[in-house]
Amino acid sequence: MCGIAGWTVADGRPGAAPELAESLAGTMACRGPDDQGVWSDDRTTLVQTRLAIIDLSGGHQPMTDAGFAADRTGRTVTLAYSGEVYNFRELRTELAGHGHHFRTRSDTEVVLHAYLEWGERCVERLHGMFAFAVWDARRRTLFLARDRFGIKPLCYARTAAGLVFGSEPKTVLAHPDVRPTVDLDGLRVLFSMARAPGEHVYHDIRDLPPAHTLTYGPEGLSLRRYWSLEARPHEDDLDATIGRVRELLEDSVARELVSDVPLSVMLSGGLDSSVVAALAARALRSGGGPVRTTTVTYGGYSDNFQPDLVRSAPDAPYARTVAEHIGADHVEIELTTADLIDSAARRSVLRAQDVPAPFGDMDTSTFQAFAAARRRSTVALTGESADEIFGGYNWVHIPSLADEPQFPWVAFEQWHPGTRQGLGQGLLSPKFKARLDMAGYYAERYAQAMAEIPRLAEESDDSRRAREICHLHLTHWLPRLLDRNDRLSMISGLEVRVPFCDHRLVEYAYNIPWEMKTFDGHEKSLLRAAARDLLPEQVLERPKAPFPVSQDATYTKALHQELAEVLADPDSPVLPLLDIEASHRVVREGEATGHDWLHRMNVEMALQLNTWLRDLGSEPAV
């Protein structure tokens, strides 16, 4: 895994700027601790920082092909690439048959030659997670591409001189022609739990949407969608469907175990990550040794656990059961309240994500879990996206929420008393919330999202709505989770892979009727059936549970103390956005326990907003 960045300018303007290239590279040092490279000509500069995973000595970038590609003027094609293409070996064989010669074993060189052979349509042949930039000097064109689900990040900004791009906003903002301007629309995106593909908090920056390419050259800028889900009749019976899901999962996990460095699995003890760990353990038995697994918990959490709305039991005992069952080399990371409230860790989380988020200790503990995994592995597999394609979220199974004309998770947010004002928005002033008008924002985004969903003419109402919800999850919910995972792992130089995001599996699962996905009346029936022989019964039957949160009351009290300090400082930049009376009441009344994690999200968001606004150096244009 790596970080990429660069810029291109119009004719007659200086393109090379070594000091600026070094500045952009510096923002991505954590993404690529093993190597760094810069390439430039009179118009374009490409920057790459490398985390070496495959062909450790042969994958230096940016990579140029001066032989196969060069025209009569000597102009060549140069690539800066981040990600993993899991079918690179098959593509290498196919390209060799077309006359291509390879100097390395890296998938980077395969991607370069795929572009040389198939041009911009090469992305349609790539299976995996990727974001890359190609400067085609023959056409004076910059080409950007991003994988189908947005697993790897890529954003860009138009400037008066041309175009700037990078793996992260902080990288693009390191360019002097891009300003960190945030307006009211940007704040809507900040507070949104259903961001539209491409939209961004910063006014001048856009995300390259998943499954899209961007071309910038003499004819201007153009975006092209190269992949989308299609609605097709599902013709397999239940047994065949279970078998096909299992076959696709086995192949996906096996492909994602290819690595020249140590790898592991982030194991929660839930169904999704346990399936990945069990399949990885089977695949590695033939010579890879026991699979490494990592679980995060909190001190005293299992002994003092109290169920809440979405968590019925602690993770760690289930994770231990799975690890023992599959013979894993298992490590349990136990975090303390001091770890969670540590100012350096929380600052690292905000810095990694570039903008505030309300998830608080979930983000901090995820960051620290990834950092712990990195101490013995460079790659980690997770169970992300199984809930999206197999229907695991509880709001999918509450008819009043699933049937509402709204993103179901937003409907859940508005239904639950703890988040009725909006996730992380409970301490915002009524005047500011009225200006945000998140209800209007969600209504507009929902209508746009629904218009893009492919459907079948003849299917049951339940299957039609389940298809719609699956598509909404994949396009407006999953990208945020994937971006979060990428940012919180790459800050420690850990590459995270997501086997459930194999597009072949997603395409197949998208068309499975809802009645079959829940054939025995439980959530994710199909996945449980496909994994029936892999896991202990207690794990197979465990209900869906999200990432754990601390239940220590002292953590909540520490947050309240920090909020009191923010309120007492008249120079705190967040004050104009807050309901001051409500915020003082939170500090004054406190909480009897630390179990009210939804309440904590409001405090966490206020604190992160204050730090972020102070770092911006200017108030948002609201």
Side-chain angles (χ1 to χ4, degrees), residues 513-575:
W514 183 243
E515 294 85 350
M516 194 174 286
K517 286 186 178 180
T518 57
F519 69 87
D520 64 359
H522 294 88
E523 39 94 8
K524 291 192 287 194
S525 306
L526 206 56
L527 181 58
R528 296 178 200 279
R532 181 64 60 186
D533 63 320
L534 294 174
L535 298 169
E537 189 69 19
Q538 66 200 84
V539 176
L540 281 168
E541 299 305 322
R542 185 188 179 191
K544 160 70 181 171
F547 199 84
V549 294
S550 174
Q551 295 187 344
D552 186 354
T554 59
Y555 178 69
T556 304
K557 293 176 182 176
L559 294 178
H560 289 171
Q561 178 59 41
E562 188 174 343
L563 179 60
E565 294 169 3
V566 168
L567 295 171
D569 181 0
D571 294 326
S572 294
V574 75
L575 295 182

Side-chain angles (χ1 to χ4, degrees), residues 344-478:
R346 293 168 66 210
R347 165 68 77 160
S348 293
V349 167
L350 178 56
R351 173 68 175 164
Q353 300 190 97
D354 286 297
V355 295
F359 302 114
D361 58 321
M362 283 191 284
D363 282 351
T364 307
S365 57
T366 299
F367 155 66
Q368 291 172 326
F370 283 146
R374 179 63 175 91
R375 288 194 281 271
R376 63 182 194 144
S377 300
T378 311
V379 175
L381 278 63
T382 76
E384 209 75 77
S385 91
D387 288 313
E388 285 74 10
I389 62 175
F390 290 111
Y393 291 111
N394 56 0
W395 49 71
V396 178
H397 302 274
I398 302 174
S400 61
L401 300 181
D403 294 339
E404 187 171 333
Q406 176 61 281
F407 298 104
W409 58 95
V410 174
F412 178 82
E413 175 184 305
Q414 296 166 347
W415 166 77
H416 188 270
T419 56
R420 194 161 290 158
Q421 298 183 67
L423 204 63
Q425 300 172 45
L427 296 183
L428 300 181
S429 74
K431 181 179 178 181
F432 177 51
K433 284 193 287 189
R435 295 205 64 195
L436 277 177
D437 184 22
M438 292 305 295
Y441 167 92
Y442 281 132
E444 182 179 340
R445 294 296 177 270
Y446 180 74
Q448 293 170 347
M450 290 290 287
E452 297 175 355
I453 298 175
R455 303 171 177 85
L456 289 176
E458 297 180 3
E459 59 185 341
S460 70
D461 290 344
D462 286 345
S463 281
R464 176 194 54 78
R465 186 53 179 162
R467 180 189 298 280
E468 292 171 349
I469 290 174
C470 179
H471 200 278
L472 293 172
H473 274 132
L474 290 169
T475 56
H476 287 71
W477 174 254
L478 179 63

Side-chain angles (χ1 to χ4, degrees), residues 163-180:
L163 184 139
V164 181
F165 69 91
S167 290
E168 300 182 4
K170 66 175 67 68
T171 305
V172 176
L173 291 170
H175 194 285
D177 291 346
V178 186
R179 306 303 306 154

Side-chain angles (χ1 to χ4, degrees), residues 192-234:
S192 172
M193 290 295 121
R195 297 172 183 174
E199 67 179 352
H200 208 284
V201 172
Y202 294 104
H203 180 270
D204 295 335
I205 297 178
R206 297 285 294 173
D207 281 329
L208 181 60
H212 277 72
T213 63
L214 179 153
T215 303
Y216 180 77
E219 298 180 357
L221 185 151
S222 63
L223 290 173
R224 182 179 77 90
R225 185 177 194 115
Y226 67 86
W227 177 85
S228 60
L229 286 166
E230 297 179 3
R232 303 188 187 99
H234 184 75

